[in-house]
Amino acid sequence: MGIILDGNRRYGERHGILDPHEIYAMGARKLDAVLDWCGELAIPAVTLWVCSTDNLERPVDQVAGILAAIEAKLWALAHDPQIHCRRVQVQAIGKLELLPGSVITAIRAARQSTAKYDGMILTIAVAYGGRQEIVDSVRALLVELIQRKVTLPDAIKEVTTTAIGRHLYMAGEPDPDLIIRTSGEIRLSGFLLWQSAYSEFYFCDVPWPALRKIDFLRAVRDYQRRKRRFGK
């Protein structure tokens, strides 16, 4: 499952909350409930898009609020008893080198403290863009071919969907069956472009901080009613 966490700012504006740190901290707290719901349904893997590369171009105060919430949440995940009880493995994907050192340290802490778990895979997509992921994957494949001293004609033959897939940020992980976007926007905005080829989509009008269990279950029930053909 993939979830695009949208609507934090709009929710804050409607409720008179203008401090970006408070707005995004409120959104980060919603994750605890969502993980509970996923655990109840035995969902094996969840990818949350919390920050895009485009988001990093927003005004400084907004970016600071987003990154502060991400950093705090990652530290919390690293030490959360429920995460360890459920054996949730936490990982992060994206252009992580664009992030401040303190955020990278928090990512490393969450990864290391949960690395051996096998209950659920929680992937945090931060400084992430789907187009950039594909570009990075192709570049990594080309570097591999150069290191193997493959000739150009042979290298062209080796540029396949399987080969590119091996170098994606989430290589080896299952593609999401369902992608949910909150707050009413009906687009992917670049989320998991490669992996979502046969995903089912559900667009929810409720902003992320206000998402309720009933909203989540409606998305799952809608998915369960669909007949998936995978292009056949």
Side-chain angles (χ1 to χ4, degrees), residues 1-2 42-47 89 91 93 119-123 133 165 168-179 191-192 194-199 223 228 230:
M1 174 183 288
I43 295 173
V46 183
T47 301
Q89 182 184 125
Q91 57 185 20
I93 61 170
M120 175 195 296
I121 298 175
L122 171 62
T123 303
E133 178 180 21
L168 294 171
Y169 298 157
M170 296 173 61
E173 300 297 334
D175 293 341
D177 296 314
L178 171 65
I179 292 177
F191 182 55
L192 300 181
W194 185 280
Q195 298 89 338
S196 65
Y198 294 108
S199 299
Y223 164 78
R228 304 184 72 197
F230 298 97

PDB file of all heavy atoms in Angstrom, residues 1-2 42-47 89 91 93 119-123 133 165 168-179 191-192 194-199 223 228 230:
ATOM      1  N   MET A   1       0.844  -1.193   0.000  1.00  0.00           N
ATOM      2  CA  MET A   1       0.000   0.000   0.000  1.00  0.00           C
ATOM      3  C   MET A   1       0.880   1.244   0.000  1.00  0.00           C
ATOM      4  O   MET A   1       1.923   1.278   0.651  1.00  0.00           O
ATOM      5  CB  MET A   1      -0.915   0.009   1.223  1.00  0.00           C
ATOM      6  CG  MET A   1      -1.731   1.302   1.386  1.00  0.00           C
ATOM      7  SD  MET A   1      -2.747   1.339   2.859  1.00  0.00           S
ATOM      8  CE  MET A   1      -4.014   0.151   2.380  1.00  0.00           C
ATOM      9  N   GLY A   2       0.450   2.262  -0.742  1.00  0.00           N
ATOM     10  CA  GLY A   2       1.114   3.554  -0.715  1.00  0.00           C
ATOM     11  C   GLY A   2       0.122   4.629  -0.309  1.00  0.00           C
ATOM     12  O   GLY A   2      -1.063   4.542  -0.647  1.00  0.00           O
ATOM     13  N   ALA A  42      -3.321  -6.674   8.685  1.00  0.00           N
ATOM     14  CA  ALA A  42      -2.140  -7.459   8.298  1.00  0.00           C
ATOM     15  C   ALA A  42      -1.582  -7.005   6.954  1.00  0.00           C
ATOM     16  O   ALA A  42      -1.151  -7.825   6.124  1.00  0.00           O
ATOM     17  CB  ALA A  42      -2.483  -8.948   8.262  1.00  0.00           C
ATOM     18  N   ILE A  43      -1.563  -5.698   6.722  1.00  0.00           N
ATOM     19  CA  ILE A  43      -0.956  -5.150   5.510  1.00  0.00           C
ATOM     20  C   ILE A  43       0.556  -5.261   5.648  1.00  0.00           C
ATOM     21  O   ILE A  43       1.139  -4.740   6.604  1.00  0.00           O
ATOM     22  CB  ILE A  43      -1.388  -3.690   5.301  1.00  0.00           C
ATOM     23  CG1 ILE A  43      -2.904  -3.653   5.030  1.00  0.00           C
ATOM     24  CG2 ILE A  43      -0.617  -3.041   4.151  1.00  0.00           C
ATOM     25  CD1 ILE A  43      -3.487  -2.255   4.962  1.00  0.00           C
ATOM     26  N   PRO A  44       1.234  -5.940   4.730  1.00  0.00           N
ATOM     27  CA  PRO A  44       2.657  -6.250   4.932  1.00  0.00           C
ATOM     28  C   PRO A  44       3.623  -5.107   4.668  1.00  0.00           C
ATOM     29  O   PRO A  44       4.738  -5.109   5.182  1.00  0.00           O
ATOM     30  CB  PRO A  44       2.897  -7.391   3.942  1.00  0.00           C
ATOM     31  CG  PRO A  44       1.911  -7.148   2.852  1.00  0.00           C
ATOM     32  CD  PRO A  44       0.688  -6.578   3.521  1.00  0.00           C
ATOM     33  N   ALA A  45       3.214  -4.136   3.840  1.00  0.00           N
ATOM     34  CA  ALA A  45       4.143  -3.059   3.477  1.00  0.00           C
ATOM     35  C   ALA A  45       3.365  -1.779   3.204  1.00  0.00           C
ATOM     36  O   ALA A  45       2.340  -1.798   2.508  1.00  0.00           O
ATOM     37  CB  ALA A  45       4.960  -3.446   2.246  1.00  0.00           C
ATOM     38  N   VAL A  46       3.869  -0.681   3.746  1.00  0.00           N
ATOM     39  CA  VAL A  46       3.234   0.629   3.573  1.00  0.00           C
ATOM     40  C   VAL A  46       4.311   1.645   3.224  1.00  0.00           C
ATOM     41  O   VAL A  46       5.337   1.732   3.905  1.00  0.00           O
ATOM     42  CB  VAL A  46       2.504   1.081   4.849  1.00  0.00           C
ATOM     43  CG1 VAL A  46       1.797   2.422   4.607  1.00  0.00           C
ATOM     44  CG2 VAL A  46       1.508   0.041   5.320  1.00  0.00           C
ATOM     45  N   THR A  47       4.075   2.400   2.156  1.00  0.00           N
ATOM     46  CA  THR A  47       4.988   3.468   1.774  1.00  0.00           C
ATOM     47  C   THR A  47       4.265   4.801   1.911  1.00  0.00           C
ATOM     48  O   THR A  47       3.200   4.999   1.322  1.00  0.00           O
ATOM     49  CB  THR A  47       5.480   3.298   0.324  1.00  0.00           C
ATOM     50  OG1 THR A  47       6.147   2.046   0.201  1.00  0.00           O
ATOM     51  CG2 THR A  47       6.439   4.420  -0.062  1.00  0.00           C
ATOM     52  N   GLN A  89       9.758  -2.890  10.250  1.00  0.00           N
ATOM     53  CA  GLN A  89      11.059  -2.466   9.700  1.00  0.00           C
ATOM     54  C   GLN A  89      10.883  -1.118   9.016  1.00  0.00           C
ATOM     55  O   GLN A  89      10.076  -0.974   8.096  1.00  0.00           O
ATOM     56  CB  GLN A  89      11.586  -3.489   8.694  1.00  0.00           C
ATOM     57  CG  GLN A  89      12.944  -3.136   8.119  1.00  0.00           C
ATOM     58  CD  GLN A  89      13.387  -4.114   7.052  1.00  0.00           C
ATOM     59  OE1 GLN A  89      13.695  -3.720   5.932  1.00  0.00           O
ATOM     60  NE2 GLN A  89      13.421  -5.393   7.382  1.00  0.00           N
ATOM     61  N   GLN A  91      12.313   2.028   6.821  1.00  0.00           N
ATOM     62  CA  GLN A  91      13.332   2.416   5.846  1.00  0.00           C
ATOM     63  C   GLN A  91      12.917   3.735   5.198  1.00  0.00           C
ATOM     64  O   GLN A  91      11.771   4.164   5.327  1.00  0.00           O
ATOM     65  CB  GLN A  91      13.529   1.334   4.794  1.00  0.00           C
ATOM     66  CG  GLN A  91      12.284   0.938   4.025  1.00  0.00           C
ATOM     67  CD  GLN A  91      12.548  -0.230   3.080  1.00  0.00           C
ATOM     68  OE1 GLN A  91      13.508  -0.971   3.238  1.00  0.00           O
ATOM     69  NE2 GLN A  91      11.695  -0.388   2.091  1.00  0.00           N
ATOM     70  N   ILE A  93      13.422   6.288   1.545  1.00  0.00           N
ATOM     71  CA  ILE A  93      13.859   6.372   0.156  1.00  0.00           C
ATOM     72  C   ILE A  93      13.774   7.816  -0.316  1.00  0.00           C
ATOM     73  O   ILE A  93      13.010   8.618   0.221  1.00  0.00           O
ATOM     74  CB  ILE A  93      13.018   5.477  -0.777  1.00  0.00           C
ATOM     75  CG1 ILE A  93      11.536   5.900  -0.748  1.00  0.00           C
ATOM     76  CG2 ILE A  93      13.177   4.016  -0.415  1.00  0.00           C
ATOM     77  CD1 ILE A  93      10.681   5.232  -1.811  1.00  0.00           C
ATOM     78  N   GLY A 119       7.884  -7.961  10.486  1.00  0.00           N
ATOM     79  CA  GLY A 119       6.433  -7.916  10.646  1.00  0.00           C
ATOM     80  C   GLY A 119       5.745  -7.063   9.598  1.00  0.00           C
ATOM     81  O   GLY A 119       4.740  -7.441   9.014  1.00  0.00           O
ATOM     82  N   MET A 120       6.261  -5.881   9.355  1.00  0.00           N
ATOM     83  CA  MET A 120       5.718  -4.950   8.359  1.00  0.00           C
ATOM     84  C   MET A 120       6.866  -4.080   7.888  1.00  0.00           C
ATOM     85  O   MET A 120       7.766  -3.762   8.665  1.00  0.00           O
ATOM     86  CB  MET A 120       4.617  -4.063   8.963  1.00  0.00           C
ATOM     87  CG  MET A 120       4.078  -2.993   8.017  1.00  0.00           C
ATOM     88  SD  MET A 120       3.092  -1.691   8.860  1.00  0.00           S
ATOM     89  CE  MET A 120       1.718  -2.653   9.463  1.00  0.00           C
ATOM     90  N   ILE A 121       6.849  -3.702   6.620  1.00  0.00           N
ATOM     91  CA  ILE A 121       7.851  -2.776   6.095  1.00  0.00           C
ATOM     92  C   ILE A 121       7.205  -1.400   5.982  1.00  0.00           C
ATOM     93  O   ILE A 121       6.226  -1.227   5.261  1.00  0.00           O
ATOM     94  CB  ILE A 121       8.391  -3.224   4.735  1.00  0.00           C
ATOM     95  CG1 ILE A 121       9.083  -4.582   4.846  1.00  0.00           C
ATOM     96  CG2 ILE A 121       9.357  -2.183   4.178  1.00  0.00           C
ATOM     97  CD1 ILE A 121       9.537  -5.150   3.516  1.00  0.00           C
ATOM     98  N   LEU A 122       7.737  -0.441   6.717  1.00  0.00           N
ATOM     99  CA  LEU A 122       7.272   0.943   6.653  1.00  0.00           C
ATOM    100  C   LEU A 122       8.331   1.759   5.931  1.00  0.00           C
ATOM    101  O   LEU A 122       9.446   1.926   6.433  1.00  0.00           O
ATOM    102  CB  LEU A 122       7.036   1.495   8.061  1.00  0.00           C
ATOM    103  CG  LEU A 122       6.753   3.002   8.142  1.00  0.00           C
ATOM    104  CD1 LEU A 122       5.476   3.357   7.387  1.00  0.00           C
ATOM    105  CD2 LEU A 122       6.665   3.451   9.598  1.00  0.00           C
ATOM    106  N   THR A 123       7.986   2.259   4.758  1.00  0.00           N
ATOM    107  CA  THR A 123       8.927   3.046   3.966  1.00  0.00           C
ATOM    108  C   THR A 123       8.503   4.505   3.976  1.00  0.00           C
ATOM    109  O   THR A 123       7.358   4.827   3.641  1.00  0.00           O
ATOM    110  CB  THR A 123       8.988   2.543   2.516  1.00  0.00           C
ATOM    111  OG1 THR A 123       9.355   1.158   2.517  1.00  0.00           O
ATOM    112  CG2 THR A 123      10.009   3.331   1.712  1.00  0.00           C
ATOM    113  N   GLU A 133      13.638   9.015  -9.348  1.00  0.00           N
ATOM    114  CA  GLU A 133      13.945   7.622  -9.018  1.00  0.00           C
ATOM    115  C   GLU A 133      14.290   6.833 -10.273  1.00  0.00           C
ATOM    116  O   GLU A 133      15.256   6.045 -10.290  1.00  0.00           O
ATOM    117  CB  GLU A 133      12.781   6.955  -8.295  1.00  0.00           C
ATOM    118  CG  GLU A 133      13.044   5.495  -7.984  1.00  0.00           C
ATOM    119  CD  GLU A 133      11.901   4.804  -7.271  1.00  0.00           C
ATOM    120  OE1 GLU A 133      10.757   5.298  -7.357  1.00  0.00           O
ATOM    121  OE2 GLU A 133      12.153   3.753  -6.649  1.00  0.00           O
ATOM    122  N   GLY A 165      14.513  -2.112 -12.928  1.00  0.00           N
ATOM    123  CA  GLY A 165      13.837  -2.410 -11.666  1.00  0.00           C
ATOM    124  C   GLY A 165      14.785  -2.812 -10.554  1.00  0.00           C
ATOM    125  O   GLY A 165      14.525  -2.551  -9.378  1.00  0.00           O
ATOM    126  N   LEU A 168      15.960   0.401  -8.636  1.00  0.00           N
ATOM    127  CA  LEU A 168      15.027   1.344  -8.033  1.00  0.00           C
ATOM    128  C   LEU A 168      15.297   1.466  -6.541  1.00  0.00           C
ATOM    129  O   LEU A 168      15.898   0.583  -5.926  1.00  0.00           O
ATOM    130  CB  LEU A 168      13.585   0.884  -8.269  1.00  0.00           C
ATOM    131  CG  LEU A 168      13.107   0.888  -9.724  1.00  0.00           C
ATOM    132  CD1 LEU A 168      11.750   0.204  -9.824  1.00  0.00           C
ATOM    133  CD2 LEU A 168      13.038   2.314 -10.272  1.00  0.00           C
ATOM    134  N   TYR A 169      14.835   2.564  -5.946  1.00  0.00           N
ATOM    135  CA  TYR A 169      15.053   2.769  -4.506  1.00  0.00           C
ATOM    136  C   TYR A 169      14.514   1.598  -3.690  1.00  0.00           C
ATOM    137  O   TYR A 169      15.074   1.248  -2.657  1.00  0.00           O
ATOM    138  CB  TYR A 169      14.352   4.044  -4.032  1.00  0.00           C
ATOM    139  CG  TYR A 169      14.830   5.331  -4.661  1.00  0.00           C
ATOM    140  CD1 TYR A 169      13.995   6.450  -4.689  1.00  0.00           C
ATOM    141  CD2 TYR A 169      16.106   5.475  -5.209  1.00  0.00           C
ATOM    142  CE1 TYR A 169      14.407   7.660  -5.236  1.00  0.00           C
ATOM    143  CE2 TYR A 169      16.531   6.666  -5.766  1.00  0.00           C
ATOM    144  CZ  TYR A 169      15.667   7.757  -5.783  1.00  0.00           C
ATOM    145  OH  TYR A 169      16.082   8.947  -6.330  1.00  0.00           O
ATOM    146  N   MET A 170      13.386   1.031  -4.130  1.00  0.00           N
ATOM    147  CA  MET A 170      12.737  -0.052  -3.385  1.00  0.00           C
ATOM    148  C   MET A 170      12.885  -1.385  -4.113  1.00  0.00           C
ATOM    149  O   MET A 170      11.975  -2.214  -4.090  1.00  0.00           O
ATOM    150  CB  MET A 170      11.253   0.270  -3.167  1.00  0.00           C
ATOM    151  CG  MET A 170      11.014   1.490  -2.306  1.00  0.00           C
ATOM    152  SD  MET A 170       9.266   1.961  -2.246  1.00  0.00           S
ATOM    153  CE  MET A 170       8.544   0.499  -1.518  1.00  0.00           C
ATOM    154  N   ALA A 171      14.000  -1.598  -4.730  1.00  0.00           N
ATOM    155  CA  ALA A 171      14.230  -2.835  -5.483  1.00  0.00           C
ATOM    156  C   ALA A 171      13.995  -4.041  -4.583  1.00  0.00           C
ATOM    157  O   ALA A 171      14.459  -4.097  -3.444  1.00  0.00           O
ATOM    158  CB  ALA A 171      15.652  -2.858  -6.017  1.00  0.00           C
ATOM    159  N   GLY A 172      13.241  -4.998  -5.112  1.00  0.00           N
ATOM    160  CA  GLY A 172      12.959  -6.214  -4.362  1.00  0.00           C
ATOM    161  C   GLY A 172      11.688  -6.165  -3.550  1.00  0.00           C
ATOM    162  O   GLY A 172      11.194  -7.209  -3.102  1.00  0.00           O
ATOM    163  N   GLU A 173      11.137  -4.964  -3.345  1.00  0.00           N
ATOM    164  CA  GLU A 173       9.888  -4.832  -2.593  1.00  0.00           C
ATOM    165  C   GLU A 173       8.698  -4.968  -3.543  1.00  0.00           C
ATOM    166  O   GLU A 173       8.786  -4.609  -4.720  1.00  0.00           O
ATOM    167  CB  GLU A 173       9.831  -3.478  -1.877  1.00  0.00           C
ATOM    168  CG  GLU A 173      10.957  -3.249  -0.887  1.00  0.00           C
ATOM    169  CD  GLU A 173      10.938  -4.234   0.256  1.00  0.00           C
ATOM    170  OE1 GLU A 173       9.844  -4.751   0.581  1.00  0.00           O
ATOM    171  OE2 GLU A 173      11.998  -4.515   0.828  1.00  0.00           O
ATOM    172  N   PRO A 174       7.573  -5.481  -3.040  1.00  0.00           N
ATOM    173  CA  PRO A 174       6.394  -5.630  -3.907  1.00  0.00           C
ATOM    174  C   PRO A 174       5.824  -4.274  -4.315  1.00  0.00           C
ATOM    175  O   PRO A 174       5.903  -3.306  -3.550  1.00  0.00           O
ATOM    176  CB  PRO A 174       5.407  -6.402  -3.026  1.00  0.00           C
ATOM    177  CG  PRO A 174       5.823  -6.087  -1.623  1.00  0.00           C
ATOM    178  CD  PRO A 174       7.326  -5.965  -1.668  1.00  0.00           C
ATOM    179  N   ASP A 175       5.272  -4.211  -5.530  1.00  0.00           N
ATOM    180  CA  ASP A 175       4.601  -2.997  -5.966  1.00  0.00           C
ATOM    181  C   ASP A 175       3.329  -2.793  -5.133  1.00  0.00           C
ATOM    182  O   ASP A 175       2.704  -3.769  -4.709  1.00  0.00           O
ATOM    183  CB  ASP A 175       4.227  -3.087  -7.445  1.00  0.00           C
ATOM    184  CG  ASP A 175       5.443  -3.115  -8.354  1.00  0.00           C
ATOM    185  OD1 ASP A 175       6.530  -2.708  -7.902  1.00  0.00           O
ATOM    186  OD2 ASP A 175       5.302  -3.551  -9.512  1.00  0.00           O
ATOM    187  N   PRO A 176       2.921  -1.555  -4.898  1.00  0.00           N
ATOM    188  CA  PRO A 176       1.724  -1.321  -4.081  1.00  0.00           C
ATOM    189  C   PRO A 176       0.455  -1.757  -4.803  1.00  0.00           C
ATOM    190  O   PRO A 176       0.247  -1.411  -5.969  1.00  0.00           O
ATOM    191  CB  PRO A 176       1.743   0.193  -3.853  1.00  0.00           C
ATOM    192  CG  PRO A 176       2.495   0.736  -5.030  1.00  0.00           C
ATOM    193  CD  PRO A 176       3.542  -0.295  -5.354  1.00  0.00           C
ATOM    194  N   ASP A 177      -0.377  -2.518  -4.112  1.00  0.00           N
ATOM    195  CA  ASP A 177      -1.668  -2.906  -4.681  1.00  0.00           C
ATOM    196  C   ASP A 177      -2.626  -1.718  -4.714  1.00  0.00           C
ATOM    197  O   ASP A 177      -3.416  -1.573  -5.639  1.00  0.00           O
ATOM    198  CB  ASP A 177      -2.294  -4.033  -3.850  1.00  0.00           C
ATOM    199  CG  ASP A 177      -1.469  -5.295  -3.878  1.00  0.00           C
ATOM    200  OD1 ASP A 177      -1.044  -5.693  -4.975  1.00  0.00           O
ATOM    201  OD2 ASP A 177      -1.227  -5.884  -2.814  1.00  0.00           O
ATOM    202  N   LEU A 178      -2.542  -0.895  -3.686  1.00  0.00           N
ATOM    203  CA  LEU A 178      -3.465   0.238  -3.532  1.00  0.00           C
ATOM    204  C   LEU A 178      -2.674   1.484  -3.164  1.00  0.00           C
ATOM    205  O   LEU A 178      -1.792   1.434  -2.306  1.00  0.00           O
ATOM    206  CB  LEU A 178      -4.486  -0.069  -2.435  1.00  0.00           C
ATOM    207  CG  LEU A 178      -5.398   1.078  -1.977  1.00  0.00           C
ATOM    208  CD1 LEU A 178      -6.323   1.520  -3.112  1.00  0.00           C
ATOM    209  CD2 LEU A 178      -6.215   0.659  -0.752  1.00  0.00           C
ATOM    210  N   ILE A 179      -2.999   2.605  -3.820  1.00  0.00           N
ATOM    211  CA  ILE A 179      -2.427   3.893  -3.466  1.00  0.00           C
ATOM    212  C   ILE A 179      -3.565   4.837  -3.083  1.00  0.00           C
ATOM    213  O   ILE A 179      -4.520   5.012  -3.840  1.00  0.00           O
ATOM    214  CB  ILE A 179      -1.612   4.497  -4.617  1.00  0.00           C
ATOM    215  CG1 ILE A 179      -0.348   3.649  -4.870  1.00  0.00           C
ATOM    216  CG2 ILE A 179      -1.215   5.942  -4.317  1.00  0.00           C
ATOM    217  CD1 ILE A 179       0.494   4.122  -6.037  1.00  0.00           C
ATOM    218  N   PHE A 191       4.337  10.071  -7.576  1.00  0.00           N
ATOM    219  CA  PHE A 191       4.551   9.066  -6.534  1.00  0.00           C
ATOM    220  C   PHE A 191       4.641   7.668  -7.134  1.00  0.00           C
ATOM    221  O   PHE A 191       3.728   7.205  -7.806  1.00  0.00           O
ATOM    222  CB  PHE A 191       3.397   9.117  -5.535  1.00  0.00           C
ATOM    223  CG  PHE A 191       3.531   8.155  -4.378  1.00  0.00           C
ATOM    224  CD1 PHE A 191       4.651   8.146  -3.577  1.00  0.00           C
ATOM    225  CD2 PHE A 191       2.514   7.264  -4.095  1.00  0.00           C
ATOM    226  CE1 PHE A 191       4.773   7.276  -2.503  1.00  0.00           C
ATOM    227  CE2 PHE A 191       2.616   6.391  -3.016  1.00  0.00           C
ATOM    228  CZ  PHE A 191       3.742   6.398  -2.227  1.00  0.00           C
ATOM    229  N   LEU A 192       5.755   6.996  -6.901  1.00  0.00           N
ATOM    230  CA  LEU A 192       5.959   5.608  -7.325  1.00  0.00           C
ATOM    231  C   LEU A 192       5.521   5.383  -8.776  1.00  0.00           C
ATOM    232  O   LEU A 192       4.774   4.441  -9.078  1.00  0.00           O
ATOM    233  CB  LEU A 192       5.220   4.654  -6.381  1.00  0.00           C
ATOM    234  CG  LEU A 192       5.640   4.688  -4.908  1.00  0.00           C
ATOM    235  CD1 LEU A 192       4.826   3.668  -4.100  1.00  0.00           C
ATOM    236  CD2 LEU A 192       7.135   4.420  -4.739  1.00  0.00           C
ATOM    237  N   TRP A 194       6.996   4.226 -11.411  1.00  0.00           N
ATOM    238  CA  TRP A 194       7.350   2.919 -11.975  1.00  0.00           C
ATOM    239  C   TRP A 194       6.527   1.814 -11.324  1.00  0.00           C
ATOM    240  O   TRP A 194       5.962   0.950 -11.997  1.00  0.00           O
ATOM    241  CB  TRP A 194       8.845   2.663 -11.771  1.00  0.00           C
ATOM    242  CG  TRP A 194       9.354   1.405 -12.401  1.00  0.00           C
ATOM    243  CD1 TRP A 194       9.254   0.127 -11.907  1.00  0.00           C
ATOM    244  CD2 TRP A 194      10.034   1.286 -13.654  1.00  0.00           C
ATOM    245  NE1 TRP A 194       9.843  -0.767 -12.758  1.00  0.00           N
ATOM    246  CE2 TRP A 194      10.329  -0.081 -13.843  1.00  0.00           C
ATOM    247  CE3 TRP A 194      10.446   2.202 -14.617  1.00  0.00           C
ATOM    248  CZ2 TRP A 194      11.005  -0.554 -14.960  1.00  0.00           C
ATOM    249  CZ3 TRP A 194      11.122   1.735 -15.728  1.00  0.00           C
ATOM    250  CH2 TRP A 194      11.391   0.367 -15.901  1.00  0.00           C
ATOM    251  N   GLN A 195       6.441   1.841 -10.010  1.00  0.00           N
ATOM    252  CA  GLN A 195       5.810   0.743  -9.256  1.00  0.00           C
ATOM    253  C   GLN A 195       4.285   0.749  -9.343  1.00  0.00           C
ATOM    254  O   GLN A 195       3.644  -0.266  -9.062  1.00  0.00           O
ATOM    255  CB  GLN A 195       6.220   0.824  -7.779  1.00  0.00           C
ATOM    256  CG  GLN A 195       7.717   0.678  -7.534  1.00  0.00           C
ATOM    257  CD  GLN A 195       8.462   2.005  -7.569  1.00  0.00           C
ATOM    258  OE1 GLN A 195       7.996   2.976  -8.152  1.00  0.00           O
ATOM    259  NE2 GLN A 195       9.618   2.042  -6.920  1.00  0.00           N
ATOM    260  N   SER A 196       3.686   1.866  -9.730  1.00  0.00           N
ATOM    261  CA  SER A 196       2.229   1.977  -9.695  1.00  0.00           C
ATOM    262  C   SER A 196       1.552   1.615 -11.018  1.00  0.00           C
ATOM    263  O   SER A 196       0.368   1.900 -11.205  1.00  0.00           O
ATOM    264  CB  SER A 196       1.824   3.402  -9.305  1.00  0.00           C
ATOM    265  OG  SER A 196       2.235   4.331 -10.300  1.00  0.00           O
ATOM    266  N   ALA A 197       2.272   0.975 -11.932  1.00  0.00           N
ATOM    267  CA  ALA A 197       1.720   0.664 -13.254  1.00  0.00           C
ATOM    268  C   ALA A 197       0.384  -0.062 -13.166  1.00  0.00           C
ATOM    269  O   ALA A 197      -0.530   0.193 -13.956  1.00  0.00           O
ATOM    270  CB  ALA A 197       2.720  -0.163 -14.056  1.00  0.00           C
ATOM    271  N   TYR A 198       0.244  -0.971 -12.200  1.00  0.00           N
ATOM    272  CA  TYR A 198      -0.998  -1.733 -12.062  1.00  0.00           C
ATOM    273  C   TYR A 198      -1.623  -1.556 -10.686  1.00  0.00           C
ATOM    274  O   TYR A 198      -2.437  -2.379 -10.253  1.00  0.00           O
ATOM    275  CB  TYR A 198      -0.745  -3.213 -12.356  1.00  0.00           C
ATOM    276  CG  TYR A 198      -0.369  -3.448 -13.803  1.00  0.00           C
ATOM    277  CD1 TYR A 198       0.927  -3.791 -14.158  1.00  0.00           C
ATOM    278  CD2 TYR A 198      -1.309  -3.278 -14.810  1.00  0.00           C
ATOM    279  CE1 TYR A 198       1.278  -3.975 -15.485  1.00  0.00           C
ATOM    280  CE2 TYR A 198      -0.967  -3.447 -16.143  1.00  0.00           C
ATOM    281  CZ  TYR A 198       0.326  -3.810 -16.476  1.00  0.00           C
ATOM    282  OH  TYR A 198       0.663  -3.978 -17.795  1.00  0.00           O
ATOM    283  N   SER A 199      -1.261  -0.495 -10.004  1.00  0.00           N
ATOM    284  CA  SER A 199      -1.875  -0.211  -8.701  1.00  0.00           C
ATOM    285  C   SER A 199      -3.304   0.282  -8.896  1.00  0.00           C
ATOM    286  O   SER A 199      -3.649   0.858  -9.932  1.00  0.00           O
ATOM    287  CB  SER A 199      -1.074   0.860  -7.951  1.00  0.00           C
ATOM    288  OG  SER A 199       0.251   0.450  -7.704  1.00  0.00           O
ATOM    289  N   TYR A 223     -11.141  -0.989  -2.808  1.00  0.00           N
ATOM    290  CA  TYR A 223     -10.117  -1.799  -3.475  1.00  0.00           C
ATOM    291  C   TYR A 223     -10.549  -3.259  -3.576  1.00  0.00           C
ATOM    292  O   TYR A 223     -10.378  -3.905  -4.622  1.00  0.00           O
ATOM    293  CB  TYR A 223      -8.799  -1.688  -2.713  1.00  0.00           C
ATOM    294  CG  TYR A 223      -7.803  -2.760  -3.070  1.00  0.00           C
ATOM    295  CD1 TYR A 223      -7.058  -2.684  -4.244  1.00  0.00           C
ATOM    296  CD2 TYR A 223      -7.617  -3.873  -2.241  1.00  0.00           C
ATOM    297  CE1 TYR A 223      -6.158  -3.676  -4.582  1.00  0.00           C
ATOM    298  CE2 TYR A 223      -6.718  -4.862  -2.575  1.00  0.00           C
ATOM    299  CZ  TYR A 223      -5.984  -4.769  -3.741  1.00  0.00           C
ATOM    300  OH  TYR A 223      -5.101  -5.756  -4.070  1.00  0.00           O
ATOM    301  N   ARG A 228      -8.974  -6.864 -10.564  1.00  0.00           N
ATOM    302  CA  ARG A 228      -7.680  -6.468 -11.104  1.00  0.00           C
ATOM    303  C   ARG A 228      -7.297  -7.379 -12.275  1.00  0.00           C
ATOM    304  O   ARG A 228      -7.335  -8.608 -12.164  1.00  0.00           O
ATOM    305  CB  ARG A 228      -6.612  -6.523 -10.013  1.00  0.00           C
ATOM    306  CG  ARG A 228      -6.979  -5.671  -8.793  1.00  0.00           C
ATOM    307  CD  ARG A 228      -5.871  -5.662  -7.799  1.00  0.00           C
ATOM    308  NE  ARG A 228      -4.745  -4.863  -8.274  1.00  0.00           N
ATOM    309  CZ  ARG A 228      -3.520  -4.951  -7.759  1.00  0.00           C
ATOM    310  NH1 ARG A 228      -3.259  -5.812  -6.795  1.00  0.00           N
ATOM    311  NH2 ARG A 228      -2.540  -4.191  -8.239  1.00  0.00           N
ATOM    312  N   PHE A 230      -4.375  -6.519 -14.408  1.00  0.00           N
ATOM    313  CA  PHE A 230      -2.947  -6.370 -14.696  1.00  0.00           C
ATOM    314  C   PHE A 230      -2.682  -6.296 -16.207  1.00  0.00           C
ATOM    315  O   PHE A 230      -1.748  -6.877 -16.728  1.00  0.00           O
ATOM    316  CB  PHE A 230      -2.165  -7.531 -14.078  1.00  0.00           C
ATOM    317  CG  PHE A 230      -2.279  -7.580 -12.585  1.00  0.00           C
ATOM    318  CD1 PHE A 230      -3.209  -8.412 -11.970  1.00  0.00           C
ATOM    319  CD2 PHE A 230      -1.467  -6.784 -11.786  1.00  0.00           C
ATOM    320  CE1 PHE A 230      -3.322  -8.446 -10.588  1.00  0.00           C
ATOM    321  CE2 PHE A 230      -1.572  -6.819 -10.398  1.00  0.00           C
ATOM    322  CZ  PHE A 230      -2.512  -7.662  -9.800  1.00  0.00           C
TER     323      PHE A 230
END
